[in-house]
Amino acid sequence: MIVVMRKGTTPEEVQRVMDRLREYGFAVHLSEGVERTVIGAIGDKKPERVQQIEAMDGVDKIVHILHPFKLAGREFKPEPSTVPVGSVTVGGQTLTVIAGPCAVESEEQILTVAKAVRDAGATMLRGGAFKPRTSPYSFQGLAEEGLKLLALARERTGLPVVTEVMQPGDVDLVSGYADVLQIGARNMQNFPLLREVGRTRKPVLLKRGLAATIEEWLMAAEYVISAGNPNVILCERGIRTFETATRNTLDLNAVPVVKQLSHLPIIVDPSHGTGKWSYVIPMARAAVAAGADGLIVEVHPNPEEAASDGAQSLKPEKFRELMREVGAIAAVLGRQLAPAVA
Ligand code: PEP
Ligand code: MN
């Protein structure tokens, strides 16, 4: 990092900052310009140490050269990572499409959707059993019963299952049924939950928080990886902006930005990103064109009767259309849809 001193700082102040940096274990290099004095500091920096330096007399600001996410960042691991989920590999040359209802509602519902998305070529099945709802009066999910139905759908279709875990105390329970643990947008900075899924080796689908910067999101991934679990898949699902025409603003910039900053695979959720089914296919196409490693899409056999997120759910025939179109875009980019499950 570089410590930029204020204009007109005294030699004593510069000396005190250099002494403190050395005391904290940094190698220091002083550069006295005509306008400003700057101190280059090389070493392992603890965030609280940096803040202490920043508070010292004469210090204007600190400029960081390296990103704070080490394990999630490309600076320390330049090659892209892939995440194995059973026989499926997320990342690399294949495009992973996860599809299914927002929430598991009944045996008939989940089995119908699972078969429909499997036949259309989806790679994995999604479905929430624990639902993070804005209102405490809304449908909260079937809990363990929903997990059992997901396991049944996996047995019938061969599709690995992605489902959300909302609290640290449920991680063991959900891990017993799920192939991928989803961390929802509202929990992206639930640090005890991130640590707990980090203790497992289950792949984690880490959704971007509603108002999280890309750096905060990658620091959330850092929590999971630093707890011992390297199997993190990022998911852009739209952020809050002033725009009200769509439920969220799908930040497709995040795809190339994350690709540059991180080695982790990134998929896109055009369902929550737009909130309206008629915008889902165009944004799915755009996400694949932008270089996303996959998609997560809500599909429901009767969206008008869905217990949650019906307005943004595709009917199975629309999902088939999505698969045809994104498959063609993937091919242009030299990627293929993951092979259909047998
Ligand atoms: C979901 O995937 O159904 C969900 C609740 O998503 P998010 O956490 O992105 O809102
Ligand atoms: Mn949903």
Side-chain angles (χ1 to χ4, degrees):
M1 64 184 183
I2 294 169
V3 183
V4 181
M5 301 301 291
R6 253 190 256 287
K7 218 172 167 174
T9 182
T10 66
E12 292 73 31
E13 284 170 344
V14 174
Q15 192 55 52
R16 269 200 297 276
V17 172
M18 296 209 344
D19 290 346
R20 182 77 81 90
L21 284 164
R22 287 203 185 92
E23 188 191 315
Y24 288 167
F26 288 95
V28 296
H29 178 84
L30 179 66
S31 166
E32 285 173 300
V34 188
E35 292 279 330
R36 292 286 183 113
T37 294
V38 302
I39 306 165
I42 299 164
D44 201 12
K45 51 179 204 253
K46 291 232 179 317
E48 56 273 20
R49 297 288 203 220
V50 175
Q51 279 166 16
Q52 287 160 357
I53 301 286
E54 207 158 17
M56 290 181 75
D57 286 343
V59 173
D60 180 8
K61 63 181 171 192
I62 292 186
V63 180
H64 299 280
I65 310 286
L66 297 178
H67 295 295
F69 36 86
K70 305 289 176 213
L71 300 167
R74 275 215 190 241
E75 279 155 355
F76 292 79
K77 182 179 182 295
E79 330 75 57
S81 297
T82 56
V83 174
V85 182
S87 61
V88 173
T89 301
V90 181
Q93 285 312 104
T94 55
L95 192 72
T96 302
V97 182
I98 304 166
C102 180
V104 181
E105 296 165 9
S106 68
E107 179 174 325
E108 194 198 341
Q109 176 243 20
I110 194 67
L111 292 182
T112 306
V113 195
K115 284 182 192 138
V117 301
R118 195 263 324 261
D119 292 347
T123 333
M124 295 189 223
L125 175 66
R126 64 150 288 147
F130 294 97
K131 294 304 304 176
R133 305 306 300 279
T134 300
S135 165
Y137 310 118
S138 297
F139 175 61
Q140 303 285 307
L142 297 180
E144 188 168 7
E145 182 52 28
L147 298 174
K148 288 183 178 155
L149 293 176
L150 285 167
L152 177 67
R154 170 177 52 211
E155 198 184 299
R156 297 282 173 86
T157 60
L159 294 176
V161 159
V162 182
T163 197
E164 177 160 354
V165 56
M166 280 175 48
Q167 49 186 6
D170 287 345
V171 169
D172 287 341
L173 171 74
V174 179
S175 298
Y177 295 95
D179 299 288
V180 177
L181 300 173
Q182 176 173 325
I183 301 295
R186 290 156 193 79
N187 266 323
M188 190 206 82
Q189 285 189 318
N190 180 337
F191 301 116
L193 180 61
L194 297 174
R195 283 219 173 84
E196 198 60 23
V197 297
R199 267 198 326 102
T200 76
R201 293 299 173 272
K202 282 268 175 196
V204 173
L205 182 68
L206 179 61
K207 293 193 124 189
R208 181 178 181 181
L210 281 73
T213 64
I214 291 173
E215 182 169 303
E216 286 163 344
W217 185 20
L218 292 175
M219 289 308 283
E222 194 79 11
Y223 265 87
V224 179
I225 304 174
S226 65
N229 187 352
N231 300 309
V232 178
I233 305 158
L234 299 166
C235 177
E236 163 61 42
R237 48 78 71 207
I239 50 174
R240 276 283 163 86
T241 69
F242 54 82
E243 183 55 75
T244 54
T246 48
R247 180 176 180 184
N248 289 293
T249 296
L250 188 61
D251 180 16
L252 288 184
N253 288 346
V255 176
V257 172
V258 162
K259 287 277 169 205
Q260 191 166 77
L261 294 177
S262 173
H263 52 86
L264 297 171
I266 173 171
I267 71 166
V268 169
D269 177 345
S271 307
H272 294 87
T274 62
K276 199 162 188 297
W277 72 266
S278 56
Y279 306 146
V280 170
I281 293 182
M283 295 316 285
R285 291 193 301 246
V288 174
D293 295 297
L295 300 166
I296 180 164
V297 181
E298 288 185 341
V299 179
H300 197 287
N302 298 306
E304 61 275 24
E305 278 163 30
S308 66
D309 287 352
Q312 65 192 35
S313 298
L314 294 181
K315 292 183 180 166
E317 73 255 28
K318 282 285 168 195
F319 179 65
R320 286 195 289 276
E321 189 178 318
L322 177 149
M323 290 300 284
R324 271 198 307 280
E325 295 188 2
V326 300
I329 292 170
V332 170
L333 300 170
R335 312 180 85 151
Q336 316 85 40
L337 283 161
V341 282

